[in-house]
Amino acid sequence: MYLESLTLRDYRNYEDLNVSFSPAINILLGENAQGKTNLLEAIYVLSMTRSHRTNNDKELIKWDKTAAIIQGRVNKQLGAVPLEIQVNSKGKKAKVNHLEQAKLSQYIGQFNVILFAPEDLALVKGAPAVRRRFVDMEFGQINARYLYNLGQYRTILKQRNQYLKQLQHKKNQDLVFLDVLSDQLAAFGAEIVHQRLIFLKQLEFWANQLQEEITQSAETLTFEYATHLEDAADQTIEQLYAQLQNDLKKATKKEIFQGTTLAGPHRDDVRFLINGKNVQTYGSQGQQRTTALSVKLAEIELMKEETGEYPVLLLDDVLSELDDMRQTHLLKTIQNKVQTFLTTPNLSGIARTLINEPKIFHINQGNLLEEEEHTVD
């Protein structure tokens, strides 16, 4: 899978852009605030229907315009597919083969990307919410059932929290309706936990191979899914559902007092262990970065395994955050495997040595100029 071409209309600082890309490595060179990350963000939005940088869609529209359009032609095993995302003050529209999709969730999965930005190096040492978001975003791309269950769970969780607040302030006293919401939440929650465990085991397999390669077999990387559910990895969906039901029932009084849901996969975490020790607590900064790199690169193989096609890789100024050894491993891993978009103010010596025949674009104030010679020497 690769992105053949991209068209932007009134997107961020791009007024009218039409560009074709290499199926290999595309380098976006330019100083800060010129539009490198905006271009990467547009590709991400074309994949996920939402930005990784803001929850306010209006920020995607050029400041003096009323709508933004992103169009892309994606080459897949079964042929080229035109995709389109329209953003305006009323919301978003997504089109596949020029046909508008009834729901945005039906669109996701048409074009898979993996984004690796400097903040992703905080995947290991960041808060649990960072890791939950990582799991949900990546697994949601490759499995429509997971995405559906997650959407339903979030909707019911929001309703349940609102109702708990009503009970907390004694604006309502009907516990039967709370039981109905709890039952629905437990049903979708059990599906989510079960699917997370399966995908994390697959991701662990690929991540550990990469970790061993980087550290010359000195480190073994394993994952631990941290949940309040007992023996979750050995439970059926029905058993997980029963546990969640029971946990929600036992927590009812405390939840009403606090006005929020205290049990469920929205509170779970993922721990990364090197040689059996939690990297977040006991790992050095170097080990934490190597782990984050291994986990992100493992996504490439997991997506290939699940979808049959490699995703597109977006590297947003990440080389400057990695030392020579990790830069080398990253570039060797992606070379001749996945279409890559790499933003950077300038190319490091390592990148110049390892990247073969990239397509290079210079970006200045939302304008792209392609280098004639495909060389970085």
Side-chain angles (χ1 to χ4, degrees), residues 31-45:
E31 298 300 323
N32 293 333
Q34 299 303 306
K36 301 191 305 295
T37 297
N38 289 346
L39 186 59
L40 235 60
E41 178 192 44
I43 297 172
Y44 187 89
V45 174

Side-chain angles (χ1 to χ4, degrees), residues 268-321:
D268 292 348
D269 195 3
V270 179
R271 299 190 186 109
F272 302 111
L273 311 177
I274 287 181
N275 299 338
K277 293 184 178 180
N278 191 334
V279 187
Q280 183 180 36
T281 306
Y282 300 104
S284 65
Q285 186 180 58
Q287 287 177 317
Q288 290 174 348
R289 291 196 164 204
T290 299
T291 300
L293 180 60
S294 296
V295 171
K296 293 297 292 186
L297 292 178
E299 291 180 73
I300 295 173
E301 300 300 339
L302 177 59
M303 282 196 181
K304 174 65 164 60
E305 186 176 35
E306 288 295 310
T307 68
E309 298 197 71
Y310 280 115
V312 170
L313 181 62
L314 310 178
L315 300 175
D316 190 11
D317 203 20
V318 78
L319 290 185
S320 61
E321 300 294 324

Side-chain angles (χ1 to χ4, degrees), residues 66-82:
T66 58
I69 296 176
I70 309 169
Q71 296 172 326
R73 185 175 175 84
V74 178
N75 193 292
K76 305 169 78 171
Q77 287 180 352
L78 298 178
V81 181

